[in-house]
Amino acid sequence: LSIWASCTICTWVMAMAQPTILLTNNKKANVRWTVFGREQLKLYFIMGSQDMGGDLQAALNVLEQALKDGITLFQWREKGAGSLVGQAAEYEQFARDCLALCRQYGVPFLVNDDVALALKLDAEGVHIGQDDGDVAATRARIAHKILGVSAHSVEEVHSAAAAGADYVGLGPIYATVSKADANTPTGLVWLEEARAAFPSLPIVAIGGINLERAPAVFAAGADGIAVISAICRQPSFVAEFQQLAL
């Protein structure tokens, strides 16, 4: 094959592989290509100011320490009692401050639910729940950005994947104190069933996962764990997680 033909074929193959490819501005690397893969789910931190009692500086400090210690993905989830919802200027500025830290450390920044804000900030992606909007419509709206979807049944996982989700979040695996409206804990059985039914789909588990439970969650088929209070209440969690070598 000619060099031109070889390059054409390679370009076509890369396009058909369908990973989410993003151009991310990074203060250290200046410009960096980030290809989303299941490895980015390994240690997924979710936080909003409400998880730190409304102390914005404390929240930023916890996020920066988590980024330094090695979280692989961050979701900005500003909602619920004690959040900045309804305070437009503060709400957006806090998101921008968190985004700036994630860009500094080269970690993708996702916005929970608020697609308009994610597009305004040019965030790396969005995570939505079953009640936060149509998955296919969200995929069309955000184009090739990362799209995560919470799912609680095989049918919901199938629908999310078919509509273009890059990954699904399953849980709560264990009882959690981070979300007042959390569903009943599923345990590891549901995670095992989902992995068996969808062997190639990236899956992150959430809900009550601590350092002691993490190995079993990975063994059950999760590509990663998503945590809120584990890091907010124990900033050393990330460094200790790294020592588990999962």
Side-chain angles (χ1 to χ4, degrees):
L1 292 175
S2 67
I3 294 177
W4 181 88
S6 297
C7 290
T8 300
I9 292 172
C10 289
T11 301
W12 179 83
V13 170
M14 289 175 67
M16 292 302 290
Q18 296 182 349
T20 299
I21 301 178
L22 308 157
L23 183 60
T24 301
N25 293 321
N26 182 283
K27 291 182 180 178
K28 292 183 177 179
N30 189 19
V31 175
R32 182 177 68 88
W33 283 98
T34 299
V35 180
F36 178 77
R38 62 181 69 241
E39 67 278 358
Q40 285 179 302
L41 294 174
K42 188 169 185 179
L43 186 52
Y44 186 168
F45 183 31
I46 302 172
M47 184 192 69
S49 67
Q50 70 281 350
D51 299 306
M52 294 301 297
D55 188 331
L56 302 187
Q57 189 56 56
L60 292 171
N61 291 344
V62 167
L63 174 57
E64 182 163 23
Q65 188 61 54
L67 289 163
K68 287 179 179 179
D69 289 343
I71 59 169
T72 53
L73 197 61
F74 176 69
Q75 179 189 140
W76 186 78
R77 182 180 179 275
E78 188 69 18
K79 64 196 311 183
S83 72
L84 294 173
V85 172
Q87 303 175 54
E90 293 84 356
Y91 176 86
E92 181 176 325
Q93 186 57 54
F94 180 50
R96 289 184 180 279
D97 290 342
C98 290
L99 172 60
L101 284 173
C102 288
R103 291 278 167 86
Q104 180 181 340
Y105 290 91
V107 171
F109 174 92
L110 274 60
V111 174
N112 179 283
D113 185 19
D114 193 340
V115 179
L117 180 66
L119 293 174
K120 184 176 184 179
L121 300 184
D122 192 24
E124 277 71 57
V126 173
H127 183 96
I128 61 173
Q130 291 296 314
D131 301 322
D132 294 332
D134 180 76
V135 179
T138 302
R139 165 51 72 203
R141 190 175 176 190
I142 69 172
H144 296 295
K145 292 181 181 294
I146 300 169
L147 176 58
V149 179
S150 297
H152 310 96
S153 68
V154 170
E155 292 75 17
E156 289 180 355
V157 174
H158 182 271
S159 295
D166 290 297
Y167 73 88
V168 292
L170 305 184
I173 304 301
Y174 304 102
T176 176
V177 297
S178 298
K179 295 179 67 176
D181 59 348
N183 291 351
T184 302
T186 63
L188 296 175
V189 174
W190 157 230
L191 177 56
E192 293 169 345
E193 292 175 349
R195 173 50 71 210
F198 304 92
S200 62
L201 181 65
I203 293 175
V204 64
I206 187 171
I209 301 171
N210 55 30
L211 292 170
E212 292 70 30
R213 291 168 170 168
V217 173
F218 278 92
D223 294 299
I225 60 171
V227 296
I228 301 176
S229 60
I231 293 177
C232 290
R233 298 183 179 188
Q234 183 183 346
S236 63
F237 179 95
V238 181
E240 294 176 23
F241 173 85
Q242 306 293 5
Q243 296 176 10
L244 296 177
L246 296 171

